[in-house]
Amino acid sequence: MTHMDDRTLTSSGFYVSQEAPIHTDDPIPTPSAPAPDILRCAALDLVVTDLAASREFYVDVLGLHVTEEDDDAIYLRTTEEFIHHNLVLRRGPMAAVAAFSYRVRSPEDLDRAVAFYTELGCRVERRAEGFTKGLGDSVRVEDPLGFPYEFFFEAEHVERLSWRYDVHCPGELVRLDHFNQVTPDVPRAVRHYQDLGFRVTEDIQDEGGTVYAAWMRRKPTVHDTAATGGDGPRMHHVAFATHEKHNILAICDRLGALRRSDAIERGPGRHGVSNAFYLYLRDPDGHRVEIYTQDYYTGDPDNPVVTWDVHDNQRRDWWGNPVVPSWYTDASRVLDLDGEPQPLVARTEASEMAVTIGADGFSYTRPEEESMPAWKQGEYKLGNQL
Amino acid sequence: MTHMDDRTLTSSGFYVSQEAPIHTDDPIPTPSAPAPDILRCAALDLVVTDLAASREFYVDVLGLHVTEEDDDAIYLRTTEEFIHHNLVLRRGPMAAVAAFSYRVRSPEDLDRAVAFYTELGCRVERRAEGFTKGLGDSVRVEDPLGFPYEFFFEAEHVERLSWRYDVHCPGELVRLDHFNQVTPDVPRAVRHYQDLGFRVTEDIQDEGGTVYAAWMRRKPTVHDTAATGGDGPRMHHVAFATHEKHNILAICDRLGALRRSDAIERGPGRHGVSNAFYLYLRDPDGHRVEIYTQDYYTGDPDNPVVTWDVHDNQRRDWWGNPVVPSWYTDASRVLDLDGEPQPLVARTEASEMAVTIGADGFSYTRPEEESMPAWKQGEYKLGNQL
Amino acid sequence: MTHMDDRTLTSSGFYVSQEAPIHTDDPIPTPSAPAPDILRCAALDLVVTDLAASREFYVDVLGLHVTEEDDDAIYLRTTEEFIHHNLVLRRGPMAAVAAFSYRVRSPEDLDRAVAFYTELGCRVERRAEGFTKGLGDSVRVEDPLGFPYEFFFEAEHVERLSWRYDVHCPGELVRLDHFNQVTPDVPRAVRHYQDLGFRVTEDIQDEGGTVYAAWMRRKPTVHDTAATGGDGPRMHHVAFATHEKHNILAICDRLGALRRSDAIERGPGRHGVSNAFYLYLRDPDGHRVEIYTQDYYTGDPDNPVVTWDVHDNQRRDWWGNPVVPSWYTDASRVLDLDGEPQPLVARTEASEMAVTIGADGFSYTRPEEESMPAWKQGEYKLGNQL
Amino acid sequence: MTHMDDRTLTSSGFYVSQEAPIHTDDPIPTPSAPAPDILRCAALDLVVTDLAASREFYVDVLGLHVTEEDDDAIYLRTTEEFIHHNLVLRRGPMAAVAAFSYRVRSPEDLDRAVAFYTELGCRVERRAEGFTKGLGDSVRVEDPLGFPYEFFFEAEHVERLSWRYDVHCPGELVRLDHFNQVTPDVPRAVRHYQDLGFRVTEDIQDEGGTVYAAWMRRKPTVHDTAATGGDGPRMHHVAFATHEKHNILAICDRLGALRRSDAIERGPGRHGVSNAFYLYLRDPDGHRVEIYTQDYYTGDPDNPVVTWDVHDNQRRDWWGNPVVPSWYTDASRVLDLDGEPQPLVARTEASEMAVTIGADGFSYTRPEEESMPAWKQGEYKLGNQL
């Protein structure tokens, strides 16, 4: 771990370090069993309350491709995916996440997953025939932070649609890019996911060392998942990647044309963290979906870890556009292996919303300047009257 | 004039009419002298208080090309312009607009301008040598609404830089697209500018016929100028066009990199009105500059006039993103021909801000539905606590 | 007319003049009757031999919107068009152009068209009910160069689909941009179309004053039509505009996915002339269709006329990519008012293909350098063995 | 290895297999020593004959960022790179490649590299201080195919310029993407690079099993390097990635503006292989540089291997645009560890150029159809007269 004082200030206003400058005093024990070798976040198993409404949103509006469907579930994939699906919409009584699913490098990694989580005392289930259509032998666990994690290697192959431009739409989604998990204690979560083999690429801290969020990767992008501080376990969002920025704008235009612009919660914009171009949508159940493009390669072991000051108002939007309060407060519940919602644990450390736009919070465009122009100020203060 | 009941509702949620459905009971008299034949909005003469700061903004950040400069003024142009300049930055004691400058079809149109405004009882000045470098014989008037209007035909030609990709930047501005004027009584302004030869392309009204804004054109785009309801005469903004949407995003990215993101007031986004992609910036004096791309051809005499309901929250942003209050309230003063600020006349009709996000105002995404999702509501109510 | 020696060399390698530097010794007489006031090129009436195959190309591949269709004709329009159609596909025994159709400013301009062409001795027909569905009172003529020209004002209005992003495709075509006509004597054609009210914006000449092609406009873009030197009358191509360059690339990608890439004849590329981004396709009958975006505003009366040296190999492709021979040689026949093909008149002046890539021809990237790199040379010489 | 008959034909016209369907009867022995763990292609050490001319091309035209320079060498990097450089321009008497440089996962991998190549009987040099500025302990070898390969882990860190939009140009290059090596026997090369840890992602074969080219990756993109059949060892090209397609078009536009369009050898276009958008340039010494964007994720161990038919004319350009002969024939010499050019070994199997556009060769757009339209035929036949 890099000490805060050893970080290097860049000309872009954030810091870089060699190791994630994140420490926990309350770690989950590190198992002696080796972690499974995770390739990438690979699929989300999502429970929706109105399958037809969700199909309309993900297929007719967002253009995901249907691999297979029946009365209870729809198996969807992005253009580039060559395994059966990367999103399952599953009919259920309560909108929630049933599983964050990761692909591992080999069948043997499932044995490792069983040993790893068993040593941690977690509930573990393995099904040789898989938990969902299209996937084979799989392990599902309730992880130490309460999240339903799934691991699999075997998967039915389907055609990669990258060359099938005749079925692409203007906002074509090409990849599942990442998950984002809400959890009360970010350093504790980071330490655990580091044990599972993730590496931190970026984080947001304040000058006292409180960590508000951290981004972690297996594949060499900015993240496969992130830990966002808040009452959890919950899912903040799932993100799909497009090729170009205009593809994201096309999704907005299409939502306007369908008089569904209220599905847009935040953006489009440029992230500070990750440097990606983004858009946040809310699906018919309120599940948050990010559309994302153009972060950077992180695959070298000495990839510099980027740390943002929580008061830097370009950290979450490089253009300084305000983060709407719902983006901080709303998230999707996650299920245990019986399909029941996991109870929530409240965050006890400072909230990013409070310290940035709360009554005593503040944000800056230039660190040396206290105030923002009139046209920016109002939006940045909770409790302020517009 | 088309009666409101004769408008046609489109599948996009706005109305179309054959004639602008705008009527005034208090018209400025129509001169018997014919109006000058205006080609296009051609240049803005802008007074700034810190010439070096403005140069940095318009040249170093926005990439406008310097045709000529001295201690008191900088003459700038966009890529495509072949006349001397389309923006003058002029050092002065108070930030304001010295002239909205239009190019006319022939030298004889200057005689027509003199006759037209003289008959209206306006103050008129003509200078054979022009009021600014690079332009020849010119007429300046204080128009009946209090705006400083300039007309010219003679202009020094300079090289069009369209093929000079070696000097283009990622956010290259190609054309001066339009002006936008704040005036208390929109129908009265529309009627006057129709007398001057402008045609209405779009407007915003409520169900009672109050007109909040109207767009008017000479060249066959959505506008050369617009009348926005408010205390006036003031300039709401001046707009420059780019070729593609990514050029506008590049300007935002650049402002972030320069830690000047607080120059972004609103957007980027897609307009409902005009269907263009947009961004609003504030220059060092607070003058508002729009960056704009891809509206539509309007040159046929029966071009349908588009009318938007003021409560349609996609009218000003097709994606339903909120209009910030400063965008409604702030504007630049304009000067009389002595260089003194024109006194303001207050708008007496309803304000668009009040009826849409004010205490008793409302906006909808779908007309049949009263409420918006939680993540949209807070932003839309002035007086609401965030 | 500007004399060749009075042209100004620009830093981009072409010349500019105040008047088109084009003169004819063999003019078509200028009628004493005033010309109709043409607004814009508005529609093409195209005869195709296999209506189903053409429908597949223009609707399923290119995404044009069907306004109406029957067993004999399909009426299509681009996104922005608000009149009934801008392309008619008409079943017929021989692939050809039935009419180049222009919209005029008023019904009275049809009387002017009748008088203008009658004075020229041309065959003229007028039909109060129009020649095609969706258009009213129309005049068709066989013009002095043999082209079937149509003029109309009355047209059925339909919905402009600009806001209907839900029905847009990745390669959405937004406007009919221009026609391009092949005719043996370019200066003679230019002079005639100037009489009809067109203005020259660009041309290609050699050092001896031979004119190979000229571009002419009514609406303020680079052209509504162009005269290309060759055996005529024939249609070289019809062009539709997209908003952005990626839209054009998407059409190529889609053709590849459909295994119809052999519909691509030339491009995509950047034009020297017009500075637009382009692609040339061939439809199932071999009619050439250009997809085009981002030329420049030309509406001022003193808009500089651009003249390119025929030997400048960036004139037709700014990137110096070769023009394929078929692009020079192939074109569509045009019909007389009885529906019979107009006889061809051979060009007697030098051909652009011969002087640039023919045995004694030459092209340069930099005028002072005689040769091009090995990887460019082979492609530029007809008669050379690859 | 998948047998040819077990490949699966996709709806896009190519085949997929589980293992690369490539076999060699003449393998280089597989060392018993384990291969170094290569992260990615990381830098090219390029000898140029005129350093100033090369600087102009790579810095002033292409916009690479100078980390450091002296009289003999310039150290350049792309936007995203955080190590000292990914391109060295080194002054020398003969244009050539001095080293293809790969980054390994750890310092220990250098020991593995020494053992691996020593066992193969290759010449191996190790320098604790590195062979170039900015890199530490490094190993250089003459590999069994005659290529100068370098391995390093230690590198000086510099600032990643991803957020520095103020120094980006319209054609900004973000990453070094891959190398491409010309070698006589592709299956033999593939087998050797598989021993070094590379995985095949795509290849081009004919129906008899002759392999014309193969693409191989370490990082999860389509390639870190490729083997192209031809007289070797030579470098076919080095490739840099941009974010979007318009960035590549901007490079072409800029070259046109600088009257350097003859630096464009082929493209821009869409590859069949890799599905990426591409452009090939030639630098002042004739070294070929590809600009590349948007291939696909290949990081799963069962990533389907794509095999293209050599006669499919969409394999190298998805739009069917012709490959110019020089692209097949020209390549850069490579140096041995003494700086002397490696002797060439001639390819004995069929050449891709001969079998596709040679006298007896053929290419198809649709496999069932023998001929292409007239406008495509001429370009595809060497020996044909244009």
Side-chain angles (χ1 to χ4, degrees), chain A residues 24-289:
Chain A
T24 181
D25 292 322
D26 180 24
I28 294 159
T30 301
S32 62
D37 186 351
I38 296 173
L39 290 167
R40 54 170 173 131
C41 65
L44 185 73
D45 194 341
L46 192 66
V47 182
V48 300
T49 59
D50 180 337
L51 197 56
S54 293
R55 190 188 198 286
E56 191 181 22
F57 182 77
Y58 288 99
V59 178
D60 299 338
V61 179
L62 293 185
L64 287 174
H65 301 278
V66 179
T67 299
E68 201 174 340
E69 60 187 320
D70 56 35
D71 288 350
D72 293 319
I74 307 175
Y75 302 84
L76 300 171
R77 72 187 198 273
T78 55
T79 321
E80 231 180 73
E81 192 53 74
F82 73 99
I83 61 172
H84 186 262
H85 62 263
N86 46 29
L87 179 66
V88 184
L89 303 176
R90 185 179 304 288
R91 186 197 306 277
M94 173 190 170
V97 173
F100 299 92
S101 192
Y102 292 89
R103 196 165 197 215
V104 292
R105 189 170 299 277
S106 70
E108 294 69 39
D109 285 300
L110 295 188
D111 303 331
R112 289 187 196 101
V114 169
F116 182 86
Y117 285 101
T118 300
E119 183 175 345
L120 281 166
C122 295
R123 180 169 168 191
V124 176
E125 282 194 31
R126 182 169 186 169
R127 286 198 198 159
E129 76 285 11
F131 293 84
T132 70
K133 276 194 190 167
L135 306 186
D137 189 11
S138 303
V139 171
R140 281 196 175 184
V141 306
E142 294 169 11
D143 90 353
L145 303 163
F147 291 96
Y149 259 44
E150 181 179 70
F151 304 93
F152 72 92
F153 172 73
E154 291 176 15
E156 190 179 316
H157 285 204
V158 290
E159 216 174 275
R160 197 167 238 158
L161 298 173
S162 299
W163 289 261
R164 288 295 306 275
Y165 293 98
D166 54 319
V167 298
H168 294 190
C169 66
E172 189 72 12
L173 304 178
V174 297
R175 274 190 287 275
L176 173 69
D177 192 85
H178 62 263
F179 307 132
N180 188 306
Q181 306 169 232
V182 183
T183 191
D185 183 338
V186 173
R188 191 167 186 262
V190 164
R191 166 68 184 271
H192 168 65
Y193 289 122
Q194 286 174 324
D195 288 344
L196 188 56
F198 286 83
R199 296 186 65 89
V200 174
T201 56
E202 305 205 18
D203 74 333
I204 294 177
Q205 299 197 16
D206 63 23
E207 61 291 357
T210 298
V211 182
Y212 297 87
W215 285 256
M216 294 168 288
R217 66 103 187 162
R218 286 292 306 173
K219 67 176 165 12
T221 63
V222 169
H223 51 325
D224 287 276
T225 196
T228 296
D231 305 346
R234 292 185 297 166
M235 177 183 77
H236 192 271
H237 64 265
V238 58
F240 296 96
T242 66
H243 272 143
E244 303 203 335
K245 296 181 286 291
H246 65 80
N247 299 121
I248 291 183
L249 305 179
I251 293 171
C252 298
D253 287 337
R254 183 175 178 85
L255 286 164
L258 296 167
R259 287 282 158 181
R260 297 185 68 155
S261 64
D262 52 355
I264 300 174
E265 186 188 32
R266 184 185 151 206
R270 168 77 63 190
H271 281 309
V273 172
S274 83
N275 198 34
F277 190 76
Y278 73 88
L279 171 72
Y280 291 101
L281 303 176
R282 300 293 291 270
D283 86 357
D285 280 297
H287 294 307
R288 188 179 289 108
V289 178

Side-chain angles (χ1 to χ4, degrees), chain C residues 86-146:
Chain C
N86 46 30
L87 179 65
V88 183
L89 303 177
R90 186 179 305 286
R91 186 197 306 277
M94 172 190 170
V97 173
F100 298 93
S101 192
Y102 292 90
R103 194 162 198 219
V104 292
R105 189 170 300 278
S106 70
E108 295 69 40
D109 285 300
L110 295 188
D111 302 331
R112 290 188 194 99
V114 169
F116 182 87
Y117 286 102
T118 300
E119 184 175 345
L120 281 166
C122 295
R123 180 169 168 192
V124 175
E125 282 194 31
R126 181 170 186 168
R127 286 197 199 161
E129 75 287 8
F131 293 83
T132 69
K133 276 192 192 168
L135 306 186
D137 188 11
S138 304
V139 171
R140 282 195 174 184
V141 306
E142 294 170 10
D143 90 354
L145 303 164

Side-chain angles (χ1 to χ4, degrees), chain C residues 6 47 55 105 112 119 123 139 151 183 188 197 208 215 251 256 299 303-304 343 349 378 383 385:
Chain C
D6 297 333
V47 182
R55 190 187 198 287
R105 189 170 300 278
R112 290 188 194 99
E119 184 175 345
R123 180 169 168 192
V139 171
F151 304 92
T183 190
R188 191 165 186 263
W215 285 256
I251 293 171
N303 180 68
E349 289 188 284
Q385 286 202 329

Side-chain angles (χ1 to χ4, degrees), chain D residues 154-210:
Chain D
E154 291 177 15
E156 190 180 317
H157 285 204
V158 291
E159 217 174 272
R160 198 167 237 159
L161 298 173
S162 299
W163 290 261
R164 289 296 306 277
Y165 293 99
D166 54 318
V167 299
H168 294 189
C169 66
E172 189 71 11
L173 305 178
V174 296
R175 273 190 287 275
L176 173 70
D177 192 86
H178 62 262
F179 306 132
N180 187 307
Q181 306 169 231
V182 182
T183 190
D185 183 337
V186 174
R188 191 165 186 265
V190 164
R191 166 68 183 270
H192 168 66
Y193 289 121
Q194 286 173 323
D195 288 344
L196 188 57
F198 286 84
R199 296 186 66 90
V200 174
T201 56
E202 304 205 18
D203 74 331
I204 295 176
Q205 299 198 16
D206 63 24
E207 62 291 356
T210 298

Side-chain angles (χ1 to χ4, degrees), chain A residues 9-12 14 18 39-40 80-83 103-106 153 155 157-165 168 175 202 217 219-220 243-247 270-275 293-304 306 308 318, chain D residues 9-12 14 18 39-40 80-83 103-106 153 155 157-165 168 175 202 217 219-220 243-247 270-275 293-304 306 308 318:
Chain A
L9 181 62
T10 69
S11 69
S12 294
F14 52 74
Q18 254 318 293
L39 290 167
R40 54 170 173 131
E80 231 180 73
E81 192 53 74
F82 73 99
I83 61 172
R103 196 165 197 215
V104 292
R105 189 170 299 277
S106 70
F153 172 73
H157 285 204
V158 290
E159 216 174 275
R160 197 167 238 158
L161 298 173
S162 299
W163 289 261
R164 288 295 306 275
Y165 293 98
H168 294 190
R175 274 190 287 275
E202 305 205 18
R217 66 103 187 162
K219 67 176 165 12
H243 272 143
E244 303 203 335
K245 296 181 286 291
H246 65 80
N247 299 121
R270 168 77 63 190
H271 281 309
V273 172
S274 83
N275 198 34
T293 191
Q294 294 161 31
D295 58 3
Y296 57 90
Y297 170 82
T298 61
D300 286 13
D302 56 345
N303 181 67
V306 169
W308 297 80
W318 187 242
Chain D
L9 181 64
T10 69
S11 69
S12 293
F14 51 73
Q18 253 320 293
L39 291 167
R40 55 171 174 130
E80 231 180 73
E81 191 53 73
F82 73 98
I83 62 173
R103 195 162 198 219
V104 293
R105 189 170 301 277
S106 70
F153 171 73
H157 285 204
V158 291
E159 217 174 272
R160 198 167 237 159
L161 298 173
S162 299
W163 290 261
R164 289 296 306 277
Y165 293 99
H168 294 189
R175 273 190 287 275
E202 304 205 18
R217 66 103 185 162
K219 68 176 165 14
H243 272 144
E244 304 203 332
K245 296 182 286 290
H246 65 79
N247 299 121
R270 167 78 64 191
H271 281 308
V273 172
S274 81
N275 199 34
T293 190
Q294 295 160 32
D295 58 3
Y296 57 90
Y297 170 81
T298 61
D300 286 12
D302 56 345
N303 180 67
V306 168
W308 297 81
W318 188 241

Side-chain angles (χ1 to χ4, degrees), chain C residues 280-325:
Chain C
Y280 290 100
L281 303 177
R282 300 292 291 270
D283 86 357
D285 279 298
H287 293 307
R288 187 180 289 108
V289 178
E290 183 179 14
I291 320 293
Y292 182 92
T293 191
Q294 294 160 32
D295 59 3
Y296 57 91
Y297 170 82
T298 61
D300 286 12
D302 56 344
N303 180 68
V305 178
V306 169
T307 297
W308 297 81
D309 180 1
V310 72
H311 300 293
D312 179 350
N313 85 331
Q314 295 190 180
R315 77 200 179 290
R316 291 208 177 265
D317 185 276
W318 188 242
W319 310 337
N321 277 330
V323 178
V324 297

Side-chain angles (χ1 to χ4, degrees), chain B residues 20-166:
Chain B
I22 299 175
H23 172 77
T24 179
D25 292 324
D26 179 25
I28 294 159
T30 301
S32 62
D37 186 351
I38 296 173
L39 291 168
R40 55 170 173 129
C41 65
L44 184 73
D45 193 341
L46 192 65
V47 182
V48 300
T49 60
D50 181 337
L51 197 55
S54 293
R55 191 188 198 285
E56 191 181 22
F57 182 77
Y58 288 100
V59 179
D60 299 339
V61 179
L62 292 185
L64 287 173
H65 302 277
V66 178
T67 298
E68 201 173 340
E69 61 188 318
D70 56 34
D71 288 349
D72 293 320
I74 308 175
Y75 302 84
L76 300 172
R77 71 185 197 274
T78 56
T79 321
E80 230 179 74
E81 192 52 74
F82 73 99
I83 62 173
H84 186 263
H85 62 262
N86 46 29
L87 179 66
V88 184
L89 304 176
R90 186 179 305 286
R91 185 197 307 277
M94 172 191 170
V97 173
F100 298 92
S101 193
Y102 293 90
R103 195 163 198 216
V104 293
R105 189 170 301 278
S106 71
E108 294 70 38
D109 285 298
L110 295 188
D111 302 332
R112 289 186 195 102
V114 169
F116 182 86
Y117 286 101
T118 300
E119 184 174 345
L120 282 166
C122 295
R123 181 170 168 192
V124 175
E125 282 194 31
R126 181 171 185 165
R127 286 199 199 159
E129 75 286 10
F131 293 84
T132 71
K133 277 194 191 167
L135 306 186
D137 189 11
S138 304
V139 172
R140 282 195 175 185
V141 305
E142 293 169 12
D143 91 354
L145 303 162
F147 291 96
Y149 260 44
E150 180 179 70
F151 304 93
F152 72 92
F153 171 73
E154 291 177 16
E156 189 179 317
H157 285 203
V158 290
E159 217 175 272
R160 198 167 237 158
L161 299 173
S162 299
W163 290 261
R164 289 295 307 276
Y165 293 98
D166 54 319

Side-chain angles (χ1 to χ4, degrees), chain D residues 323 325 328 352-359 361-363 379-383:
Chain D
V323 178
Y328 285 121
E352 184 172 338
M353 185 167 74
V355 302
T356 55
I357 57 171
F362 69 99
S363 296
E379 313 170 77
Y380 280 98
K381 281 293 186 193
L382 287 171

